[in-house]
């Protein structure tokens, strides 16, 4: 694994960067920052290494990061190895009983521990857990309906063991963070019926951010943020403005559920949520510790 190469800097330039970050370090000292990690940033070894160092740095300068990760490509690879076929409906993987066992094995097993190890190797102590640990995430079966284009009759889709959070008990997060550890959470929840549910990582991160009243939810994506009709980055939106942008067709496609997750997070208690480009090295640090930020910030009002 190789690190990204940057041109050498003069010592006074390095000192100026540190000094410029001081107001932001003070602003976020002691605060909780929830980071949703996935997509291209997770699949690129160099970006993954940089991400681990950045999360470790946040902890070392007094911020309390909480990481919620995905793992779609890793799940696909394991299902292919086991010759298990996947079907998707509206971007959600239809999950039967056998498949949910594989998904839990991958998300709460290998992927979860790899992400925790990236951070621990960088000098901070990270602990991998899932939403089932300490009843962190109580889930229920996700209900989706589809309307037949000919008859206009709605029917309920059975997505199997795909779930959505109904309750987040943050005590295990507080216990780990208060002990100097960084929680790394796999998006698997436990239902009141005792069933295991696969939860979309964005949705899980939003629910966690709301429950811990995070100062920021950082959503690492593969795009710069929310773009306007001309393709320009929108630096900031209120929840109401974001809803209007969805209704007007400015926000479309896969960006809609991400923005809706941000809206739900800020309405549930997070101070703000930011959609940022995880393909940019040090995206989290650029968002938190520079004046301009690096994505689209969404506030409750």
């Amino acid at each position: 694994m190789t690190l990204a190469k940057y041109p050498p800097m003069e010592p006074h330039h390095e000192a100026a960067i540190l000094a410029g970050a001081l107001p932001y370090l003070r602003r976020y000292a002691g605060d909780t920052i929830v980071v949703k990690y996935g997509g291209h940033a997770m699949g690129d070894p160099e970006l993954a290494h940089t991400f681990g160092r950045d999360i470790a740095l946040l902890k070392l300068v007094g911020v309390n990061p909480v990481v919620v990760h995905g793992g779609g490509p890793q799940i696909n690879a394991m299902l292919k190895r086991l010759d298990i076929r996947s079907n998707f409906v509206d971007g959600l993987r239809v999950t039967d009983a056998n498949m949910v066992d594989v998904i839990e094995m991958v998300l709460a097993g290998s992927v979860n521990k790899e992400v925790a190890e990236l951070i621990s190797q960088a000098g901070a102590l990270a602990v991998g857990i899932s939403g089932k640990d300490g009843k962190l995430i109580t889930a229920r079966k996700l209900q989706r309906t589809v309307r037949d284009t000919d008859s206009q009759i709605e029917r309920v889709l059975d997505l199997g063991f795909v779930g959505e959070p109904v309750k987040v008990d943050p005590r295990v997060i507080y216990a780990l963070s208060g002990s100097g550890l960084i929680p790394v959470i796999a998006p698997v929840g436990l239902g009141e019926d005792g069933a295991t549910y696969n939860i979309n990582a964005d949705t899980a991160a939003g629910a966690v951010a709301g429950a811990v009243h995070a100062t920021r939810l950082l959503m690492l994506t593969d795009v710069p943020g929310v773009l306007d009709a001309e393709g320009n980055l929108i630096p900031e939106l209120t929840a109401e403005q974001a809803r209007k942008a969805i209704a007007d067709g400015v926000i479309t496609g896969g960006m809609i559920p991400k923005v809706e997750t941000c809206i739900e997070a800020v309405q549930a208690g997070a101070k703000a949520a930011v959609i940022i480009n995880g393909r940019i090295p040090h995206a989290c640090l650029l968002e938190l510790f520079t004046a301009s930020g690096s994505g689209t910030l969404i506030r409750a009002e």
Side-chain angles (χ1 to χ4, degrees), residues 55-102:
I55 296 300
L57 175 63
L58 291 178
K59 189 68 175 181
L60 294 172
V61 298
V63 180
N64 291 314
V66 177
V67 177
V68 180
H69 65 81
Q74 295 89 337
I75 293 171
N76 291 338
M78 179 59 72
L79 292 175
K80 184 176 181 180
R81 284 179 57 188
L82 298 175
D83 197 24
I84 299 175
R85 297 183 62 182
S86 290
N87 294 317
F88 288 84
V89 177
D90 293 336
L92 297 169
R93 188 191 306 270
V94 180
T95 305
D96 61 21
N98 291 329
M99 193 179 293
V100 77
D101 289 340
V102 175

Side-chain angles (χ1 to χ4, degrees), residues 133-147:
D133 294 313
K135 291 189 175 180
L136 172 58
I137 301 177
T138 300
R140 67 185 171 200
K141 185 182 180 72
L142 181 64
Q143 299 291 333
R144 281 285 188 272
T145 59
V146 62
R147 185 182 297 274

Side-chain angles (χ1 to χ4, degrees), residues 218-240:
L218 303 183
M219 300 274 285
L220 270 62
T221 66
D222 293 340
V223 295
V226 180
L227 306 180
D228 62 20
E230 285 73 42
N232 300 312
L233 179 68
I234 302 174
E236 187 169 335
L237 290 166
T238 64
E240 182 179 351

Side-chain angles (χ1 to χ4, degrees), residues 179-202:
S179 299
L181 305 172
I182 299 174
V184 176
I185 303 168
V188 179
L190 186 65
E192 295 286 2
D193 55 0
T196 296
Y197 287 98
N198 173 31
I199 302 171
N200 176 274
D202 290 351

